[in-house]
């Protein structure tokens, strides 16, 4: 049993004549928090879709949660969780109904769902709100709940697609504490974000430019390597070399 | 140039603004910094004469936002948070439309928008709805500027915009300021605070603090330390359990710690160093007071 949650070797994805992802390779350790950065149009979404089993690479090979990206996409889907800020929970369902729905979709039994629901809501301090509709919760609570729902079925890997915009700094930190806690329990966390200060919370970070991974290291090493004060400076340095831009 | 005095606004049972007041000087970039749901948009809508406050007063260039709303609308450029151009009109048609509504022509004020509009002009025949996020922002800013306003009000202009476009956007604001424009801008993003001349930190309908970013940071009342170890989560749990710690939270690659005691405790595997507070640290501190 390898200790890698994700390994990707020389993956390429073409759409007609356009090479969206151009032969990338990387590995992510189990329990690692991995930040996946890139300007609009760099190919982030395409990579994320392939890692989630929603599309297959044109060429190359890779394993996600122990399953083959080419042939076992259905098993991959069952082994991962996904959260995005734009859509994660049903606003017109209550907290409990959302958990029941997502738990059932991932094949948990009624009793397991009930037990986990109580445990999770108590840990979050949300138990009193279990019958509140999600749309009536503050944004910060919705984000914490969305993350907890994404790991409700104990996935190997959780994908977070721009998870924490717009909340106050304390709530954001509580959110990151949940992420750290999940990683500490062995869940691998794959995060995309446009906020470079958020990238500094990750164990390692990769930066995509024009379909390739141009940099991959810990935030401190990247800052040292590019002689930059912040991840934003590192990012700007690399993004300037892009030939594609977001007008495509 | 902009004054707000004790503004209150309720929606149903919710207090969106609980007595907000500040002054913005001519030719200044003034940032309203705070999370979503804090009252930023309500404040902008009152200043842009789109809704009335329940109580309190506000004026732009000496004109009252209620009594003189017609005059104010001609002198401000307002860019709402949600993309509000016409998606079925082309880039060019949108700009012409806004110029016409304000009784001017694109050619008259072209020099003001040239830097910004020039970047999207190659796509002038494209429908606005088909533009990327960064390009939409540039078009929206061009449309807000085309009647040469004296005051620019930008509600979360960089939300959802990638870091490269975001940096470009702030560079444009700086240029506009140099041309004498007064700019009120809001953002939930704490690291954009330092790009403003002065900032107001806003939370739950009230203002926590108003100052220049430099003075705000210098006024941070505690000794702040950065601590890190091989496993910051475990370190956080350990530190939280101690009673000589006043405050402790994660922040990027290290934890921020405030001690109750003068000397810092030594712990195996923990690196610790003194550090200056950021605007975000100030926000967190003020939220807890």
């Amino acid at each position: 049993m390898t200790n890698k949650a994700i390994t990707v070797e020389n993956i390429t994805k073409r759409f007609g004549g356009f090479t969206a992802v151009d032969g990338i390779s990387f590995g992510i350790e189990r329990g690692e928090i991995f930040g996946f950065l890139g300007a609009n149009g760099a190919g982030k979404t395409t990579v994320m879709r392939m890692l989630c089993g929603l599309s297959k690479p044109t060429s190359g090979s890779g394993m996600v949660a122990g399953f083959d990206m080419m042939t076992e996409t259905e098993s991959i889907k069952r082994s991962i969780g996904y959260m995005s800020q734009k859509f994660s929970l049903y606003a017109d369902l209550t907290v409990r109904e959302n958990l029941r729905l997502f738990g059932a979709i991932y094949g948990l039994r009624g009793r397991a769902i009930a037990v986990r629901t109580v445990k999770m809501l108590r840990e979050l301090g949300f138990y009193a709100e279990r019958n509140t509709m999600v749309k009536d919760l503050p944004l910060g609570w919705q984000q914490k709940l969305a993350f907890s729902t994404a790991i409700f079925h104990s996935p190997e890997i959780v994908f977070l697609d721009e998870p924490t915009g717009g909340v106050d700094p304390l709530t954001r930190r509580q959110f990151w504490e949940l992420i750290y806690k999940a990683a500490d329990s062995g869940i691998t966390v794959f995060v995309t974000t446009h906020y470079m200060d958020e990238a500094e919370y990750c164990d390692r970070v990769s930066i995509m430019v024009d379909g390739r991974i141009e940099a991959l290291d810990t935030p401190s090493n990247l800052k040292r390597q590019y002689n930059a004060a912040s991840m934003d400076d590192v990012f700007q340095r690399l993004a300037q070399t892009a030939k594609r831009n977001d007008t495509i | 140039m902009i004054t707000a005095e004790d503004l209150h606004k309720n929606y149903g049972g919710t207090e969106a603004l609980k007595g907000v007041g500040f002054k913005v000087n001519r030719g200044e970039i003034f940032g309203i910094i705070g999370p979503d749901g804090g009252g930023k948009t309500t404040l902008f809508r009152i200043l842009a004469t789109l809704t009335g406050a329940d109580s309190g007063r506000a004026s732009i260039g000496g004109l009252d936002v209620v009594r003189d709303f017609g005059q104010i609308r001609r002198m401000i450029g307002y860019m709402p948070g949600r993309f509000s151009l016409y998606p079925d009109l082309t880039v060019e048609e949108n700009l012409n439309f806004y110029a016409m509504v304000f009784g001017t022509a694109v050619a008259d004020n072209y020099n003001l928008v040239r830097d910004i509009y020039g970047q999207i002009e190659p796509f002038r025949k494209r429908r606005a709805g088909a533009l990327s996020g960064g390009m939409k922002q540039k078009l929206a800013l061009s449309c807000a500027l085309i009647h040469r306003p004296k005051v620019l009000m930008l509600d979360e202009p960089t939300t959802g915009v990638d870091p490269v476009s975001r940096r470009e956007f702030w560079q444009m604001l700086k240029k506009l300021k140099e041309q004498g424009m007064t700019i009120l801008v809001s953002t939930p993003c704490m690291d954009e605070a330092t790009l403003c001349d002065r900032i107001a930190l806003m939370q739950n309908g009230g203002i926590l603090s108003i100052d220049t970013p430099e003075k705000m940071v210098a006024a941070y009342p505690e000794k702040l330390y950065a601590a890190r170890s091989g496993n910051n989560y475990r370190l956080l749990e350990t530190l939280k359990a101690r009673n000589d710690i006043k405050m402790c939270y994660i922040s990027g690659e290290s934890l921020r710690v405030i001690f109750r005691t003068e000397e810092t405790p030594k712990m195996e595997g923990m690196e610790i160093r003194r550090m200056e507070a950021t605007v975000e640290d100030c926000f967190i501190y003020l939220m807890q007071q």
Side-chain angles (χ1 to χ4, degrees), chain A residues 166 173 177 220 232-233 236, chain B residues 36 163 167 240 250-251 253:
Chain A
R173 277 163 177 79
E177 276 186 41
S220 343
D232 191 46
D233 290 334
Q236 301 287 345
Chain B
D36 295 357
R167 188 170 277 203
K240 272 185 174 174
I250 31 178
S251 207
E253 286 188 292

Side-chain angles (χ1 to χ4, degrees), chain A residues 198-211:
Chain A
E198 195 151 80
E200 315 228 5
Y201 287 77
C202 300
D203 295 321
R204 284 190 308 151
V205 163
S206 75
I207 299 177
M208 259 189 110
V209 180
D210 290 351

Side-chain angles (χ1 to χ4, degrees), chain B residues 109-206:
Chain B
N109 291 319
Y110 187 78
N111 63 345
L112 188 64
V113 298
R114 183 171 39 213
D115 282 350
I116 303 154
Y117 186 66
Q119 297 178 35
I120 48 174
E121 212 166 10
F123 309 97
R124 62 185 181 276
K125 300 287 182 202
R126 189 178 289 189
R127 287 194 312 110
L131 295 176
S132 71
M135 287 169 73
K136 278 182 181 159
Q137 296 301 80
K138 284 171 194 162
L139 178 59
L141 182 59
S142 303
C143 290
L145 280 171
I146 197 63
H147 61 292
R148 198 172 279 277
K150 293 194 168 63
V151 177
L152 199 53
M153 296 185 191
L154 310 168
D155 192 9
E156 296 208 13
T158 57
T159 293
V161 174
D162 80 43
V164 176
S165 304
R166 198 180 308 157
R167 188 170 277 203
E168 280 176 9
F169 199 87
W170 279 96
Q171 282 162 356
M172 291 175 207
L173 295 191
K174 212 170 155 211
K175 277 193 181 168
L176 291 169
K177 167 200 147 90
E178 282 160 10
Q179 296 175 39
M181 202 163 291
T182 304
I183 301 173
L184 184 71
V185 56
S186 73
T187 175
C189 195
M190 301 285 148
D191 53 1
E192 290 182 335
T194 50
L195 302 168
C196 303
D197 297 318
R198 286 194 306 141
I199 50 174
L201 303 184
M202 196 166 178
Q203 161 90 351
N204 292 332

Side-chain angles (χ1 to χ4, degrees), chain A residues 7 13 30 55 57 63 70 74-75 85 90 101 110 114-115 120 136 138 142 146 165 178-179 209 217 238:
Chain A
T7 51
K13 179 76 181 183
R30 196 162 173 273
S55 89
M63 301 288 280
M70 288 294 193
E74 286 310 308
S75 302
Q85 204 192 349
Y90 289 90
L101 174 65
V115 172
M120 196 192 93
D136 295 327
Q142 289 185 22
L178 287 181
I179 295 179
V209 180
D217 212 326
L238 283 163

Side-chain angles (χ1 to χ4, degrees), chain A residues 93-103 113-114 117-118 121 127 129-134 145 152:
Chain A
L93 295 182
T94 65
V95 169
R96 216 166 51 166
E97 286 166 344
N98 266 287
L99 289 172
R100 202 171 125 207
L101 174 65
F102 282 97
I113 292 174
T117 298
V118 173
L121 293 180
Y127 192 68
E129 302 292 338
R130 63 194 179 280
N131 293 321
T132 305
M133 278 214 228
V134 163
L145 185 65
F152 192 61

Side-chain angles (χ1 to χ4, degrees), chain A residues 152-179:
Chain A
F152 192 61
H153 59 292
S154 310
E156 292 285 319
I157 304 165
V158 63
F159 290 87
L160 308 178
D161 197 357
E162 308 209 354
T164 72
V167 296
D168 70 71
L170 264 186
T171 304
R172 195 184 196 193
R173 277 163 177 79
Q174 290 165 0
F175 186 85
W176 273 96
E177 276 186 41
L178 287 181
I179 295 179

